Amino acid sequence: MAPTGSPGRRRPADRSAPPILHFAYATDDPLHDAIKLLSHELASPQPGQQTILDRLLDVVLVQALRASFRQDAHAPRWYHASGDPRLEPALRAIHSDAANAWTVRDLASLSRLSRAAFARAFQQALGQAPMQYLTQWRMTLARDHLRAGDLSLAR
């Protein structure tokens, strides 16, 4: 759901992460497997270790955020909405191609809903209208580009 991009660009999960994560996980949770693999990699240094550790730490962070958000009634609205099969296609489209001239009709079509049903579901799940969310997302991306210095204000 999050955009791809330069290291200077932050993803929604980055902005939503609390300073300390509180969660519990079971041995059948993917987070357990990722931590076990990370521990194994730390215990036996081998060529390419830093590359593996860098990737595993990303995996552990995302899995930890997921675990925390699953258990948090106050998790970001976008997290819960991204798990809604009616809204996920539209959110994925917005996040992967924010520059597209999306309309409510386009997004509703991706979600296989009428415009009215889509707009209502979106408003209930995210607390704002689809076009308001899209505009906010575009402004977030613009801010991140300006902070990273990879685009000018004019661009």
Side-chain angles (χ1 to χ4, degrees), residues 34-46 49 53 56:
I35 291 173
K36 185 175 176 182
L37 188 55
L38 181 65
S39 297
H40 175 75
E41 191 62 33
L42 286 167
S44 57
Q46 298 179 44
Q49 180 187 39
L53 290 175
L56 282 174

Side-chain angles (χ1 to χ4, degrees), residues 9 15 94 98-99 131-147 153:
R9 193 176 300 162
R15 289 181 197 88
I94 288 170
M131 294 298 100
Q132 182 182 6
Y133 181 88
L134 175 59
T135 300
Q136 183 179 6
W137 180 242
R138 287 173 174 162
M139 295 302 289
T140 297
L141 293 176
R143 182 198 63 220
D144 290 350
H145 280 298
L146 289 170
R147 284 185 178 163
L153 185 57

